[in-house]
Amino acid sequence: MVQIPNTPTSADVARLAGVSRATVSYVLNNTSAVRISEPTRRRVHEAARELGYVPHAAARSLRAGHSRMVLMPAPAIPVGPLYSGFLNELQWALGRLDYTVVQYGTVGLQGDEAARAWAELRPVAVLVPGAELGTQGVRVLKRSGARAVVTLGPERVDGAHALLMDHAAVGQCAGAHLHGRGRRRIGVVVPEESGLEAYSRPRLTGVRQALHGTDAAVTELPLAYTEESAARLAAKWRELALDAVFAYNDEYAMLLMRALQDEGLRIPEDVAVIGADDLMLGRLLRPRLSTVHVELPSGRDLAELVDRAVRDPGGEPEVHRVLGASVVRREST
Amino acid sequence: MVQIPNTPTSADVARLAGVSRATVSYVLNNTSAVRISEPTRRRVHEAARELGYVPHAAARSLRAGHSRMVLMPAPAIPVGPLYSGFLNELQWALGRLDYTVVQYGTVGLQGDEAARAWAELRPVAVLVPGAELGTQGVRVLKRSGARAVVTLGPERVDGAHALLMDHAAVGQCAGAHLHGRGRRRIGVVVPEESGLEAYSRPRLTGVRQALHGTDAAVTELPLAYTEESAARLAAKWRELALDAVFAYNDEYAMLLMRALQDEGLRIPEDVAVIGADDLMLGRLLRPRLSTVHVELPSGRDLAELVDRAVRDPGGEPEVHRVLGASVVRREST
DNA sequence: TTGAAAGCGGTACCAG
DNA sequence: CTGGTACCGCTTTCAA
């Protein structure tokens, strides 16, 4: 008995239960404005179960004129435990507020292209990490019904709420710390991997800011995440004559530290090394790695901001500085 | 001049262009079955641009009866560079085939609940990593129109295509390698962090399988990803009298190796240590960490499987073993 | 308490 | 070449 498994609709449920589609809708949504007799309810639920009925989200939100979907572009780069944890908390918190979080796989779409693609889904809110979104993009999203657009990035965008995560603060911490430890010739690792510029540029800038007006000099150090690249950099270290380095993050720091040690350089005596992100990793190195601890916003807070914005779409865009940075000094500086 | 930014529809475009909605649809979709005069096309495009018109995906797929959405549950645990890379490749490849990948934030939904939630979106295909999906769930998804359901996990599920990623193979590799190096009292780290059981259990099982029938003994070692936990384990190492350990993955391996070294144990003389996943990390340790290199399926291949399955939904479910595991011996074993 | 019917935004058939 | 129109699945008045 092979049935063609045609997707059951509410009409099928209605037919099987011997009621109208309206009644089905009332029962399955527990509509309070209307009283349905207990026997009817039972029949409807029974029929729905039997058919394996699942409502059609698109049809529903088409009719309703809005959805509860919060859209985020899926990050294209491997993402650390920090951001992962933040994302989980956010999803959980938004889930509690009855939103559905969807990460949209935006590959190769540029700026406004991407915004348009997102807009086709008519999300009620859009959260955009990084700087992928311009004023134009915000406009597109809003025009297509997004009641809240929130950017998580270095600078605010007109018309959107902003969680300002200024990674310059990370660099500032690191720069000030190194200077305070008496270092004056300071290298800053800039990863060659693409997609990281959004973080690496501001971190570099931050170091420059912290050292501006002092007698310290900053040297930019391009570095790919490979042993060869690190070895190359280490090999010319003595001629660079740097006495400290801010290595972008703990992983690059470990890579470079290893290479420097293999070159016979002592840490921290010859070179002070500091990373960022405060990964477990750094505590396990010898010497223990100093790092800049980065505090992301709480997912719960962001969820509440989203909810607030959705409920009051006319409100002034909120702008929060949310990136806490503080040095954790260990043994490498 | 504050306009109420009512989302423009194709009717608005039609009105502005002075044509019918049908014509708008034809023009914007480049419908080949129908010829529209060049001036008309221009007027339509012009109007669409001016209004900032973005089509409504839900309405479109409602009418069409299907979407091009490939849905994946968003992973709840921090995910390494391996899986990240795989995901990117997959998104890219599916994008080329004109599918849209969406990661659905499934928090706290259990089994069939989750499947039903996914089904509401009427995705054309669903890719499920891990073992979160049962036969029932597959049925729900298929009944609601999913033309392909693919599981990426330890075992196949009835009715779904399967990319069998049997992490037991990872454990087998490690176990056989350690045994081959003459080790007989072998510890296996089992992370205490929840969400990792899906990988850690099979990896442990694999070691047991590799050592079954030999004179080697396997000891299960619960370990949390903290320095304290590692120190506790290392402190009682001598009484455990193990001469080798498979540390679940490279990160746990580093954590444990550090603790063992701090206890004065020599690696590999006193204890052989092997990790898994072949992270850059391991190459930077001293001694260099031996590891099990894990080969995930290619995102392109999976994309093609999905496409094939979507085009021929009646076809027999394909089952592929796709997890390659091979030992990379370095200095720690 | 229940049913009939309109309509959300698009698409595609059929007429003109 | 273009317009009218039915319909996808669901919700929600409005009547009965």
Side-chain angles (χ1 to χ4, degrees):
Chain A
M1 186 184 74
V2 179
Q3 297 187 33
I4 296 168
N6 243 337
T7 308
T9 72
S10 75
D12 297 320
V13 176
R15 209 168 305 128
L16 182 56
V19 298
S20 74
R21 283 156 69 222
T23 305
V24 170
S25 176
Y26 291 143
V27 171
L28 295 183
N29 295 308
N30 264 316
T31 307
S32 51
V34 108
R35 300 257 75 90
I36 304 283
S37 70
E38 201 45 52
T40 304
R41 305 181 81 84
R42 204 193 308 290
R43 289 217 314 287
V44 170
H45 276 123
E46 179 63 25
R49 229 184 26 72
E50 177 158 343
L51 292 175
Y53 169 71
V54 176
H56 192 308
R60 175 179 294 180
S61 66
L62 179 58
R63 169 65 225 226
H66 59 87
S67 73
R68 298 284 291 176
M69 181 195 300
V70 175
L71 184 145
M72 304 183 67
I77 53 172
V79 86
L82 236 72
Y83 188 75
S84 269
F86 164 69
L87 211 67
N88 270 351
E89 197 184 332
L90 176 65
Q91 292 190 358
W92 181 85
L94 282 174
R96 289 203 53 94
L97 294 170
D98 200 36
Y99 295 94
T100 289
V101 179
V102 150
Q103 287 178 260
Y104 190 96
T106 312
V107 275
L109 281 82
Q110 300 289 342
D112 288 354
E113 287 295 312
R116 217 183 314 280
W118 304 337
E120 292 193 2
L121 295 189
R122 298 291 193 273
V124 68
V126 182
L127 311 184
V128 191
E132 320 174 38
L133 192 68
T135 309
Q136 202 54 239
V138 175
R139 195 148 34 210
V140 168
L141 289 170
K142 292 221 148 167
R143 267 197 85 74
S144 56
R147 293 165 65 96
V149 179
V150 185
T151 62
L152 293 74
E155 49 194 27
R156 53 166 314 193
V157 178
D158 229 42
H161 302 263
L163 260 45
L164 285 180
M165 311 202 313
D166 187 2
H167 283 257
V170 177
Q172 281 173 7
C173 266
H177 173 70
L178 292 174
H179 189 267
R181 306 286 306 159
R183 310 292 169 150
R184 291 299 178 269
R185 300 192 42 84
I186 296 176
V188 177
V189 167
V190 180
E192 288 176 347
E193 280 69 27
S194 69
L196 264 41
E197 304 87 359
Y199 307 102
S200 62
R201 299 321 300 185
R203 287 183 181 192
L204 170 61
T205 304
V207 177
R208 288 227 157 87
Q209 288 167 349
L211 266 30
H212 187 74
T214 72
D215 53 342
V218 173
T219 306
E220 197 170 332
L221 303 171
L223 175 63
Y225 195 59
T226 65
E227 285 185 283
E228 300 72 42
S229 177
R232 264 197 308 277
L233 177 54
K236 62 173 182 185
W237 199 265
R238 291 178 206 271
E239 78 182 73
L240 285 167
L242 301 174
D243 58 12
V245 59
F246 167 51
Y248 173 64
N249 75 6
D250 289 350
E251 297 186 292
Y252 284 83
M254 176 176 189
L255 175 65
L256 181 55
M257 197 162 107
R258 178 85 272 157
L260 293 173
Q261 287 176 322
D262 288 349
E263 275 289 319
L265 289 148
R266 292 164 310 158
I267 295 175
E269 294 80 356
D270 300 327
V271 190
V273 178
I274 186 168
D277 294 353
D278 195 10
L279 303 184
M280 165 67 78
L281 174 55
R283 273 176 273 205
L284 303 176
L285 301 182
R286 296 297 179 268
R288 293 170 200 272
L289 183 67
S290 295
T291 192
V292 179
H293 178 85
V294 175
E295 184 103 37
L296 288 188
S298 115
R300 257 193 326 289
D301 291 347
L302 175 50
E304 276 161 22
L305 165 58
V306 169
D307 190 45
R308 231 178 299 135
V310 167
R311 298 172 110 96
D312 174 22
E316 269 304 294
E318 297 183 29
V319 177
H320 301 267
R321 309 187 65 85
V322 292
L323 193 127
S326 54
V327 167
V328 179
R329 176 161 174 252
R330 299 213 180 93
E331 302 162 357
S332 67
T333 56
Chain B
M1 187 186 74
V2 180
Q3 297 186 33
I4 296 170
N6 244 337
T7 309
T9 72
S10 76
D12 297 320
V13 177
R15 208 169 305 129
L16 182 56
V19 298
S20 74
R21 293 188 316 144
T23 304
V24 171
S25 176
Y26 292 142
V27 170
L28 296 184
N29 295 308
N30 265 316
T31 307
S32 52
V34 111
R35 303 253 75 92
I36 304 284
S37 71
E38 203 45 53
T40 304
R41 304 182 80 86
R42 204 194 308 290
R43 290 216 314 286
V44 169
H45 276 123
E46 179 61 26
R49 230 186 25 70
E50 177 157 343
L51 293 175
Y53 170 72
V54 176
H56 192 309
R60 174 180 295 178
S61 67
L62 178 58
R63 171 64 226 226
H66 61 260
S67 72
R68 300 283 292 175
M69 180 195 301
V70 175
L71 184 144
M72 302 184 67
I77 53 171
V79 85
L82 235 73
Y83 187 76
S84 268
F86 164 69
L87 210 68
N88 269 351
E89 197 184 334
L90 176 64
Q91 291 190 358
W92 181 85
L94 283 173
R96 291 203 52 97
L97 294 170
D98 201 36
Y99 295 94
T100 289
V101 179
V102 151
Q103 287 177 259
Y104 190 96
T106 311
V107 277
L109 282 83
Q110 300 289 341
D112 289 352
E113 287 295 313
R116 216 183 314 279
W118 303 338
E120 291 192 2
L121 295 188
R122 297 291 192 273
V124 69
V126 182
L127 311 183
V128 191
E132 319 174 37
L133 192 68
T135 309
Q136 201 56 238
V138 174
R139 195 146 35 209
V140 169
L141 289 170
K142 293 222 147 167
R143 270 199 81 78
S144 57
R147 293 165 66 95
V149 179
V150 185
T151 61
L152 295 71
E155 49 194 28
R156 54 165 314 193
V157 178
D158 229 42
H161 301 262
L163 261 45
L164 284 181
M165 311 202 314
D166 186 3
H167 283 258
V170 177
Q172 280 173 9
C173 266
H177 174 69
L178 292 175
H179 188 267
R181 305 288 305 160
R183 309 291 168 151
R184 291 300 178 267
R185 300 191 41 81
I186 297 176
V188 177
V189 167
V190 180
E192 288 176 347
E193 280 69 28
S194 68
L196 264 42
E197 303 88 0
Y199 307 102
S200 62
R201 298 322 300 187
R203 286 183 181 192
L204 170 62
T205 304
V207 176
R208 288 228 157 88
Q209 287 166 351
L211 266 30
H212 187 73
T214 72
D215 54 341
V218 173
T219 305
E220 198 170 330
L221 303 171
L223 175 63
Y225 195 59
T226 64
E227 285 185 284
E228 298 73 40
S229 177
R232 264 198 306 278
L233 177 54
K236 63 174 184 186
W237 198 266
R238 291 179 205 272
E239 78 182 74
L240 285 167
L242 301 174
D243 58 11
V245 59
F246 168 51
Y248 173 65
N249 75 5
D250 288 350
E251 297 186 293
Y252 283 84
M254 176 176 189
L255 176 65
L256 180 56
M257 196 163 106
R258 179 83 271 158
L260 292 173
Q261 288 176 322
D262 288 351
E263 274 289 319
L265 289 148
R266 291 164 310 159
I267 297 176
E269 294 81 356
D270 301 326
V271 190
V273 178
I274 186 168
D277 295 352
D278 195 10
L279 303 184
M280 165 69 77
L281 174 55
R283 273 176 274 203
L284 304 176
L285 300 183
R286 293 301 179 267
R288 293 170 200 272
L289 183 67
S290 295
T291 191
V292 179
H293 178 85
V294 174
E295 183 102 37
L296 287 188
S298 113
R300 257 191 328 287
D301 292 347
L302 176 48
E304 276 160 23
L305 166 57
V306 168
D307 191 44
R308 231 179 298 134
V310 167
R311 299 171 110 96
D312 174 21
E316 270 304 294
E318 296 183 29
V319 178
H320 301 267
R321 307 189 65 85
V322 292
L323 193 127
S326 56
V327 167
V328 179
R329 173 159 176 256
R330 299 214 180 93
E331 302 162 357
S332 67
T333 56

